[in-house]
Amino acid sequence: MTHLLDPVREAADASPERPSRTPAARTARRKALLHWIAVHSLGIAAALFFVLPFVFVVLTSLMSDQQALTRDLTPNTWEWGNYERVFNTPGFLTWWRNTLLYAGLGTVLTVVSSIPVAYALAKFRFRGRKLSLMLVISMMMLPPQVVIIPMYLFWAKQMDLSGTLWPLIIPMAFGDAFSIFLLRQFLLTIPNEYLDAAKVDGCGEFRTLMKVVLPMARPGIAAIALFQFFAAWNDYFGPQIYASENPAAWTLSYGLESFKGAHHTDWNLTMAATVLVMAPVIAVFFFAQKAFVEGVTLTGVKG
């Protein structure tokens, strides 16, 4: 049987080399790779510009105290216990709870209060509509530092809410100028024919908003929700003004500054705390990036 297969093996050995393994094919693949790198060189450089600092922070957070901020680029021993030490820091879990309350409740209040205003500005025709839109745009251009003194006097002196996060959360129940404007621009892209058809079927304005507009506006709602969540999660100025006197009301952004001051020589722990602060935001954007990008790109500019 073996001698019958010998001619077949000889023929296979004598057959020409596969095209994918020839020098010409390897040269073509190499040229294609170089062409792709040349075409996307700016994108690759931009990606490295944003990714490498994050990689540096993560690797440093897994180093020992002696190795952190040395010439070593990778940990000699992977110190996963650094994250446990950060979690066990007094007050860290409280900062987490306060930040989740501030970002989560604030986002819900902003979305719920901004949707009716944006819907009215996009689909209703009433006297003073353009003036109302101009006021919303004016509020977008007004820096919060301009009104911080009268706002602080109101919340701290009149309402006696200093040392808490409520002066930052309660105003979100009255809408956000940027969220209203962005959602209003998105709602303008929804044809009025859908709304007219719903009204012909007997739907009122509220039911039309709930049953027709909101399902079609999910990308825009997701965009403003993510914008608001990121802004509240990373907010440092607000908690510094209202909650600095009460450590039990600190958020992660403000507490991280205190943590860095207490561990200014332990850079591995500081980097570990930084990673824990950034991780939820990165995770939320990773899972919601499709709706976020769709909501931003589909936002129209007519009006």
Side-chain angles (χ1 to χ4, degrees):
M1 183 68 179
T2 304
H3 70 278
L4 295 175
L5 295 177
D6 289 341
V8 177
R9 293 174 180 172
E10 293 177 359
D13 294 338
S15 63
E17 192 176 2
R18 293 182 181 179
S20 59
R21 298 179 179 176
T22 60
R26 290 195 296 269
T27 302
R29 288 199 302 272
R30 189 179 300 110
K31 289 183 178 180
L33 178 60
L34 293 176
H35 176 74
W36 185 90
I37 294 175
V39 172
H40 300 86
S41 58
L42 292 178
I44 295 173
L48 292 176
F49 180 80
F50 288 102
V51 170
L52 288 180
F54 179 74
V55 174
F56 170 78
V57 170
V58 173
L59 292 178
T60 305
S61 69
L62 295 172
M63 293 180 180
S64 61
D65 297 340
Q66 295 76 19
Q67 189 187 2
L69 295 188
T70 61
R71 294 184 178 181
D72 297 332
L73 298 179
T74 57
N76 295 331
T77 57
W78 299 84
E79 302 289 343
W80 296 100
N82 291 339
Y83 292 96
E84 183 180 359
R85 293 172 62 185
V86 171
F87 263 114
N88 293 333
T89 300
F92 193 82
L93 293 180
T94 302
W95 303 342
W96 262 83
R97 184 181 68 250
N98 295 335
T99 305
L100 288 175
L101 173 66
Y102 176 29
L105 182 58
T107 300
V108 172
L109 292 176
T110 298
V111 172
V112 172
S113 58
S114 298
I115 288 176
V117 181
Y119 177 63
L121 292 177
K123 299 301 181 182
F124 289 178
R125 297 294 181 267
F126 57 90
R127 182 176 299 178
R129 173 172 170 266
K130 293 185 177 180
L131 178 61
S132 301
L133 181 60
M134 291 296 296
L135 291 176
V136 171
I137 296 176
S138 301
M139 292 300 298
M140 290 173 54
M141 296 184 293
L142 184 66
Q145 292 80 3
V146 174
V147 296
I148 190 60
I149 294 179
M151 292 294 293
Y152 178 80
L153 293 176
F154 173 77
W155 291 111
K157 303 302 181 182
Q158 302 297 327
M159 305 300 295
D160 195 23
L161 290 176
S162 61
T164 68
L165 294 174
W166 293 113
L168 301 174
I169 297 175
I170 294 176
M172 296 182 185
F174 301 95
D176 174 71
F178 176 76
S179 300
I180 293 172
F181 178 76
L182 184 66
L183 187 59
R184 181 253 182 191
Q185 295 301 109
F186 185 91
L187 294 179
L188 287 175
T189 63
I190 299 178
N192 292 329
E193 286 76 9
Y194 291 104
L195 281 67
D196 296 337
K199 294 175 182 178
V200 169
D201 290 339
C203 294
E205 292 293 348
F206 180 77
R207 191 176 179 185
T208 301
L209 173 63
M210 299 299 296
K211 298 295 184 180
V212 179
V213 176
L214 292 188
M216 300 180 68
R218 285 177 182 174
I221 296 174
I224 66 171
L226 288 176
F227 272 125
Q228 184 60 43
F229 182 84
F230 295 157
W233 187 276
N234 297 321
D235 186 19
Y236 178 84
F237 180 74
Q240 181 188 30
I241 296 297
Y242 292 105
S244 59
E245 63 189 54
N246 182 16
W250 288 0
T251 60
L252 283 171
S253 58
Y254 189 75
L256 183 61
E257 180 66 24
S258 174
F259 183 91
K260 186 175 69 173
H263 299 82
H264 62 278
T265 58
D266 301 327
W267 284 104
N268 55 336
L269 298 182
T270 301
M271 296 300 180
T274 303
V275 172
L276 291 175
V277 173
M278 294 189 301
V281 177
I282 296 175
V284 169
F285 181 78
F286 178 79
F287 288 106
Q289 61 178 326
K290 182 178 179 181
F292 177 76
V293 174
E294 184 179 359
V296 174
T297 54
L298 293 181
T299 300
V301 294
K302 70 176 184 177

